[in-house]
């Protein structure tokens, strides 16, 4: 299991945003400069994060983006799901998916929801405040 580059970059950018504080007005240019994420990618991610409700878009002069809630109330799971969609270790834990050729005879299907819940729970236990802290 590996996160996409976009999800990784979103975590980096949200961590930088958290260091500015919840009410700070931020731009994709500022976060791109601070993080090293290429500007076009930063712009795309800001839009996705806003669409997911983790950031809000501010119009007009002095516009930009800001976190929609305190960093302590945003988790690693929230950020990953904003970019990649619901966390699903296998197709059988995704609601409405029935495209596995082994579905009718699978002996492990009932266990995947437990595994998926544990992984999502671990990601949900990491608040953005922790990600934003400088490592010592």
């Amino acid at each position: 299991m590996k996160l996409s580059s976009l999800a990784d970059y979103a975590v980096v950018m949200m961590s930088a945003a958290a260091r500015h504080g919840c009410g700070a007005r931020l731009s994709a240019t500022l976060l791109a400069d601070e993080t090293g994420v290429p500007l076009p990618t930063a712009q795309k991610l800001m839009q996705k994060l806003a669409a997911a409700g983790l950031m809000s878009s501010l119009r007009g002069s002095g516009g930009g983006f800001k976190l929609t809630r305190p960093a302590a109330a945003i988790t690693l799971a929230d950020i990953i799901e904003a970019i990649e969609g619901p966390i699903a270790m296998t197709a059988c834990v995704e609601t409405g998916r029935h495209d596995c050729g082994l579905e009718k005879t699978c002996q492990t299907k009932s266990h995947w929801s437990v595994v998926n819940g544990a992984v999502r729970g671990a990601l949900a236990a990491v608040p953005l405040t922790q990600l934003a802290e400088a490592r010592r």
Side-chain angles (χ1 to χ4, degrees):
M1 187 173 103
K2 183 177 180 181
L3 290 180
S4 70
S5 294
L6 284 180
D8 183 22
Y9 291 167
V11 171
V12 169
M13 288 180 50
M14 287 291 286
S15 297
R19 286 189 287 276
H20 285 275
C22 187
R25 290 178 185 241
L26 308 163
S27 68
T29 302
L30 172 71
L31 293 179
D33 288 345
E34 286 184 9
T35 63
V37 172
L39 181 57
T41 303
Q43 292 168 326
K44 177 180 179 178
L45 288 172
M46 299 288 274
Q47 292 299 323
K48 284 184 160 257
L49 293 164
L54 298 180
M55 300 194 97
S56 60
S57 177
L58 306 166
R59 296 184 178 264
S61 66
F65 293 86
K66 69 177 183 175
L67 295 176
T68 57
R69 55 190 191 254
I74 299 172
T75 69
L76 183 53
D78 294 330
I79 301 166
I80 292 169
E81 288 180 331
I83 304 305
E84 299 202 358
I87 294 166
M89 300 291 294
T90 63
C92 60
V93 296
E94 290 184 76
T95 305
R97 294 271 313 261
H98 300 286
D99 57 357
C100 176
L102 303 176
E103 186 173 16
K104 288 183 175 44
T105 60
C106 182
Q107 297 295 310
T108 62
K109 180 180 178 180
S110 62
H111 300 284
W112 279 112
S113 62
V114 174
V115 172
N116 199 80
V119 170
R120 192 190 184 290
L123 296 171
V126 180
L128 183 55
T129 48
Q130 183 178 338
L131 296 168
E133 291 175 358
R135 300 275 309 179
R136 296 184 201 317

